[in-house]
Amino acid sequence: MKEKLFANAIEENVARIRERIENACIKAGRDVSEVTLMGVSKTVEAERVNQAIAAGIHVLGENRVQELLQKKPLLHLDDVSIHLIGHLQTNKVKMIVGEVDLIHSVDSVHLAEAIEKESEKKDLVSHILVEINIGEESSKSGVSFDQTYELIDQISRFPHLKIDGLMCIPPISEDHTVVRQYFSKMHQMFLDIDSKKIDNVSMSILSMGMSSDFEDAIREGSTMVRVGTSLFGGRNYNI
Ligand SMILES: *Cc1c(COP(=O)(O)O)cnc(C)c1O
């Protein structure tokens, strides 16, 4: 990397991640503007999240509803959108609808229906992604690959919901070819759903890739990478 002085470690990390994104885009023959870098700020205190915003991060991802709502008033959010990326329980829907720009983790009609009802009550439209359990792992949330079409068809009938795309967290693997196969399967489904031109459904966001695999995800068509550790360093869940 070119010699440059950074105000802090986070600014330097953003520069390094952007460089890696750029290189992955070049390898994939994609334009860098197609890929949004989300800063995953779970467990990170507001002051450091604000440093990331100052360093040019425009999208933040939080996992837990309570943490998100507590932190939100402390953040400099002009021009910054905040997304919920963690599993959402139905009983937290009331708290989160209207508070985030996108919910990445809708994986059942039951949950979608709760978001629909709350959105109607608040007279707004909620933007969501459908989370797919691409590795069919019992430990993970997400709809199974085979049931995705049916779920999207059902959700598309809710007038206060808009499906903006798909999200996944693939199984952990050291083998990049294995990980890329999962991402590729996601991308094919993303394109296939897009080609169906379903009402209330636009495939504009393919949310996949984290610190360990975002380059693979970009090679396979990701439009939003969710990066935590490489941006903020290791997380301490005990604070
Ligand atoms: C924590 C988390 C990330 C970021 O993971 P890193 O490996 O720290 O980059 C991305 N997506 C989701 C859903 C997460 O929970």
Side-chain angles (χ1 to χ4, degrees):
M1 194 153 50
K2 287 178 220 87
E3 289 281 333
K4 188 178 180 307
L5 286 174
F6 295 101
N8 52 56
I10 290 175
E11 195 182 290
E12 184 168 354
N13 291 343
V14 170
R16 288 190 201 288
I17 295 163
R18 290 223 184 272
E19 194 173 44
R20 285 170 61 188
I21 290 175
E22 242 176 79
N23 287 336
C25 283
I26 290 168
K27 277 191 193 153
R30 301 181 59 195
D31 194 294
V32 72
S33 66
E34 292 172 31
V35 180
T36 300
L37 168 59
M38 166 195 282
V40 175
S41 50
K42 64 186 179 209
T43 78
V44 180
E45 63 274 31
E47 191 190 332
R48 297 176 71 233
V49 182
N50 283 329
Q51 287 182 351
I53 293 171
I57 296 291
H58 290 288
V59 181
L60 296 172
E62 283 283 343
N63 269 63
R64 296 167 64 189
V65 172
Q66 261 111 339
E67 185 183 346
L68 186 155
L69 295 177
Q70 277 168 12
K71 220 184 276 177
K72 204 181 158 193
L74 307 173
L75 300 176
H76 305 151
L77 290 177
D78 309 329
D79 259 350
V80 174
S81 56
I82 187 158
H83 297 181
L84 182 75
I85 58 174
H87 178 66
L88 176 59
Q89 289 165 300
T90 322
N91 61 2
K92 303 262 171 71
V93 164
K94 273 195 174 68
M95 297 161 72
I96 203 72
V97 165
E99 293 289 340
V100 288
D101 299 281
L102 187 65
I103 299 171
H104 285 231
S105 46
V106 176
D107 60 358
S108 71
V109 194
H110 179 63
L111 176 59
E113 195 173 10
I115 302 172
E116 163 67 22
K117 282 190 178 146
E118 189 62 23
S119 305
E120 183 178 14
K121 209 191 263 175
K122 291 180 176 151
D123 195 22
L124 51 83
V125 170
S126 289
H127 288 256
I128 64 155
L129 303 181
V130 170
E131 179 176 358
I132 300 175
N133 185 354
I134 192 69
E136 310 284 338
E137 295 169 281
S138 57
S139 60
K140 282 197 179 132
S141 42
V143 62
S144 77
F145 188 81
D146 293 338
Q147 285 166 2
T148 303
Y149 284 95
E150 195 188 333
L151 178 60
I152 287 181
D153 179 56
Q154 290 168 316
I155 297 177
S156 70
R157 296 167 202 206
F158 291 129
H160 300 85
L161 292 190
K162 234 189 131 304
I163 301 178
D164 286 349
L166 307 177
M167 181 271 218
C168 78
I169 307 172
I172 295 168
S173 169
E174 298 285 308
D175 186 345
H176 289 264
T177 43
V178 171
V179 177
R180 279 178 64 172
Q181 277 165 7
Y182 288 118
F183 288 144
S184 164
K185 207 171 161 191
M186 286 290 295
H187 189 224
Q188 278 160 29
M189 178 175 257
F190 182 79
L191 295 176
D192 187 51
I193 294 168
D194 190 41
S195 73
K196 294 190 185 335
K197 309 284 175 222
I198 308 165
D199 280 350
N200 285 331
V201 180
S202 79
M203 288 291 120
S204 48
I205 299 176
L206 182 54
S207 167
M208 56 186 200
M210 321 202 323
S211 291
S212 60
D213 56 16
F214 69 81
E215 281 128 324
D216 294 316
I218 290 169
R219 291 288 291 273
E220 301 299 340
S222 169
T223 73
M224 185 172 285
V225 292
R226 308 180 310 264
V227 179
T229 310
S230 296
L231 177 56
F232 293 109
R235 282 181 287 273
N236 181 356
Y237 286 95
N238 299 318
I239 353 181

